[in-house]
Amino acid sequence: MEKRRTVPVKLDVDSDDAVLLEDTIDEFLWAANSVTRHAFEGEYVTTSKTTLHDDTYADVRNETALHSNHVQAARNKAADACKSVVEKWKQGKKASMPHFTSPHVVYDHRTATFHDESVSLATTDGRIEADYVLPDDERDTPHAEYYFSDEYETTGAELHYSDGNWMLHIHCKKEVESETPEQASTENGTVLGVDLGVTNLAVASTGTFWTGDEFDHWRKEYEKRRGDLQQCGTRWAHENMEAVGRKEDGRFKQTLHRISNELVAEAREYRCSVIAFEDLTDIRDRTGASWGHTWAFNRLYEYVEYKAAEYGIDVEQVDPENTSRRCSECGFTHPDNRESEAFECLKCGYENHADYNAAKNIGLRYLRRNQTGDGGGASVGVRLNSGMLNANGAYDPPAEDSARAGVHAESPPL
């Protein structure tokens, strides 16, 4: 079987090359969205890559300056996204036609050449060469463990642009023997569950809370500033509204970067190999979140995803159904278990903060979905601030008395 890893590498891109990469990204996104629109044109959504290739390849190739492999990669992106929508419909979930906006482009061995200190990337106008920006000491980094390792093969990459930074997410793989239950336990490791919400932007199964107070304060403050300027109606006011928007965007991104850094640090501290979020699809309907909060949830997930990859930590999403209503202690599920931020199980009497209970359930759902065995090996479970929950929801106390007591510390059941 294959073992796959993604290694994020920052690139040093000069201004001229950046223009070419930006143009390539724009055309790649246009191509993916064009194929998606075509897939939704008929009575049924087309998900076959072969059919979409036959229907769209020539037109997209003529309308863009993309490399042929970029056209095919854009088609694959569209087909996978359309297939995901159809799967959600089959499960009775709401889903709309995908639309790609996040600045990225997919590379393979025909559109990228990977060197020891740099990479050559195809653009809409020839190739550019970009140097890697690597840590001073690479001995214990994913770069050394995967990308520069003779054991791993480089299979491709995705180029992402965010906050002025060019990041190349390099995909690596190696062949390994089929996992025994012991190997599976060690590989799956410990899960950090994360619940997202309006009052608390994020809550981890370790009991750490990141409140939304600061986010809400500044959202209301910037809304007031824009409203005041809009009433002026002058050119000066319009220019200042744009400046306010840039400041708002920068402040929120700074906050989300801080939270994402702390979430990844939390996972590293507790030696978690997976950070599990709830599925972000329709989160606005479930939580009553504003558009701004929905944007924040998606951006936070993206930040955690690429930052966690640097340490070999996977980031996944799980079905959120009933995670806020289910008791993480006994499994009893009922709408009346939760009232606002308070959770009290009607069956076993377990009480705690509702978001914290949900975070544990999210971790448990990932664990149950992915656990393949219970043979010996590394401890497998949802990480709490003291001990763990195993796949059956039972409490495992910490191996050492020095386990940290965080917010809402768990005590072993009596």
Side-chain angles (χ1 to χ4, degrees), residues 33-291:
N33 288 321
S34 177
V35 175
T36 302
R37 287 192 297 271
H38 177 83
F40 273 72
E41 282 178 355
E43 184 178 357
Y44 301 99
V45 177
T46 304
T47 60
S48 166
K49 293 179 181 179
T50 302
T51 302
L52 289 173
H53 174 84
D54 292 342
D55 291 350
T56 66
Y57 177 81
D59 289 340
V60 173
R61 193 84 165 90
N62 291 332
E63 291 290 332
T64 68
L66 291 172
H67 188 285
S68 60
N69 285 62
H70 278 154
V71 174
Q72 295 176 46
R75 176 209 65 214
N76 291 342
K77 271 277 183 181
D80 290 340
C82 292
K83 187 176 295 184
S84 177
V85 167
V86 172
E87 287 300 319
K88 285 184 171 66
W89 287 348
K90 289 179 179 178
Q91 297 169 22
K93 298 180 180 179
K94 295 180 180 179
S96 56
M97 183 179 75
H99 183 71
F100 300 94
T101 58
S102 177
H104 75 286
V105 60
V106 178
Y107 282 90
D108 61 17
H109 277 292
R110 292 192 178 183
T111 50
T113 304
F114 303 92
H115 305 296
D116 289 341
E117 298 181 355
S118 65
V119 63
S120 171
L121 300 173
T123 72
T124 52
D125 187 15
R127 282 183 170 254
I128 64 106
E129 194 88 13
D131 292 334
Y132 300 143
V133 180
L134 298 171
D136 293 334
D137 186 354
E138 301 173 24
R139 287 176 298 179
D140 298 320
T141 67
H143 311 90
E145 187 175 356
Y146 307 121
Y147 181 51
F148 294 122
S149 169
D150 293 335
E151 296 181 2
Y152 281 83
E153 170 193 357
T154 302
T155 59
E158 275 197 18
L159 179 69
H160 291 258
Y161 182 71
S162 177
D163 300 326
N165 294 317
W166 293 97
M167 298 295 298
L168 190 66
H169 293 197
I170 303 174
H171 305 313
C172 307
K173 73 172 184 178
K174 75 172 181 178
E175 294 292 330
V176 296
E177 295 181 3
S178 297
E179 291 179 339
T180 64
E182 178 174 350
Q183 290 170 325
S185 296
T186 304
E187 178 67 20
N188 290 338
T190 307
V191 183
L192 182 72
V194 180
D195 179 65
L196 301 176
V198 175
T199 304
N200 296 298
L201 282 181
V203 179
S205 59
T206 50
T208 302
F209 283 57
W210 288 270
T211 72
D213 293 346
E214 182 182 0
F215 184 90
D216 285 338
H217 167 77
W218 285 109
R219 181 173 59 84
K220 293 174 183 177
E221 177 68 23
Y222 284 120
E223 282 180 359
K224 182 178 181 300
R225 292 182 189 179
R226 281 195 298 271
D228 292 341
L229 289 168
Q230 196 167 20
Q231 288 182 356
C232 295
T234 64
R235 180 178 178 181
W236 172 87
H238 178 74
E239 291 175 350
N240 274 270
M241 281 179 62
E242 293 180 347
V244 167
R246 289 193 295 272
K247 289 180 181 178
E248 179 183 27
D249 191 54
R251 181 180 289 275
F252 289 162
K253 286 180 178 178
Q254 184 180 28
T255 299
L256 295 172
H257 272 299
R258 174 180 58 79
I259 296 174
S260 63
N261 286 335
E262 292 173 1
L263 266 170
V264 173
E266 192 91 351
R268 293 183 65 204
E269 178 180 350
Y270 287 102
R271 298 182 180 179
C272 298
S273 59
V274 177
I275 301 175
F277 285 79
E278 59 189 294
D279 190 330
L280 300 183
T281 306
D282 299 326
I283 191 170
R284 186 173 181 179
D285 295 334
R286 295 196 309 272
T287 63
S290 65
W291 177 90

